[in-house]
Amino acid sequence: MIDFQTRARAIELVIFDVDGVMTDGSLYLGDDGQEYKAFNARDGHGMTMLRQAGIAMAVITGRCSEVVRIRMESLRVEYVYQGQRDKGPAYAALRAACGLEHDQIAYVGDDVVDVPVMRQVGLAVAVADAHPLVKAHCHWQTCLPGGRGAVREVCEGLLAAQGKLDALLNGYVARLDE
């Protein structure tokens, strides 16, 4: 079996689910019907480091939400597919748009709707609190739960496997020394 490090070295695109991965899965609804979600700032910085390292990012999510559009825009995530109950067509379109092979793509999920895409990609990741079926079909599982650092863990794991993490982190330390 191919290990995480080997799979991670080939990754050029990371696809994230939103609810349960980038958030803890809670949906907050106001009296006016407005939907609210809480995103982890450290997860967001992990995504920023991925972008700085030249790794593309995408989101495929089953729900449609203005807050997701705003958050992904702020993180400069180029590919955002919302309202995708069946994530397969969005994955196929994304793969074609990027011109990548399955083994160059990672997918991070938490629920059963993620499994069909996870079975196609080169690196399937389940967050710590994912559904058991998702865990059964992943190549790697985070220690942290969705919305609580799992995304950052994935980002740093990929960057470390590709030999890019130390340079990024050392860049922050170097700024302190100036």
Side-chain angles (χ1 to χ4, degrees):
M1 181 167 145
I2 302 172
D3 69 353
F4 170 79
Q5 297 292 324
T6 302
R7 289 179 184 276
R9 279 194 285 274
I11 300 304
E12 295 185 30
L13 169 69
V14 182
I15 304 169
F16 298 97
D17 178 31
V18 175
D19 297 318
V21 172
M22 299 180 98
T23 75
D24 68 4
S26 297
L27 299 174
Y28 302 94
L29 301 174
D31 289 340
D32 60 357
Q34 180 67 39
E35 184 175 293
Y36 302 91
K37 298 175 190 280
F39 295 94
N40 185 298
R42 284 181 290 216
D43 285 350
H45 193 74
M47 294 173 72
T48 296
M49 290 192 302
L50 276 185
R51 187 182 69 255
Q52 290 171 337
I55 298 172
M57 293 172 290
V59 164
I60 302 177
T61 181
R63 298 179 59 85
C64 290
S65 172
E66 180 66 6
V67 72
V68 169
R69 184 196 64 75
I70 292 167
R71 180 64 174 148
M72 294 310 108
E73 186 176 288
S74 74
L75 292 171
R76 296 172 34 198
V77 175
E78 184 175 354
Y79 304 100
V80 179
Y81 296 84
Q82 294 198 66
Q84 306 295 312
R85 299 244 183 256
D86 176 358
K87 297 183 179 190
Y91 173 70
L94 179 59
R95 190 172 157 257
C98 294
L100 297 173
E101 298 298 323
H102 297 293
D103 65 347
Q104 296 173 295
I105 302 171
Y107 185 92
V108 187
D110 74 303
D111 210 345
V112 296
V113 297
D114 299 312
V115 172
V117 174
M118 291 176 75
R119 292 187 58 174
Q120 296 179 63
V121 297
L123 177 60
V125 179
V127 296
D129 56 340
H131 187 278
L133 186 64
V134 174
K135 291 178 180 181
H137 289 280
C138 74
H139 301 114
W140 186 65
Q141 182 179 318
T142 66
C143 294
L144 297 170
R148 300 287 185 256
V151 169
R152 180 67 170 264
E153 188 178 342
V154 170
C155 294
E156 289 193 359
L158 287 170
L159 292 167
Q162 293 185 9
K164 299 175 180 178
L165 181 61
D166 287 344
L168 283 165
L169 295 178
N170 288 337
Y172 295 104
V173 174
R175 288 183 203 135
L176 293 173
D177 295 337
E178 293 176 350

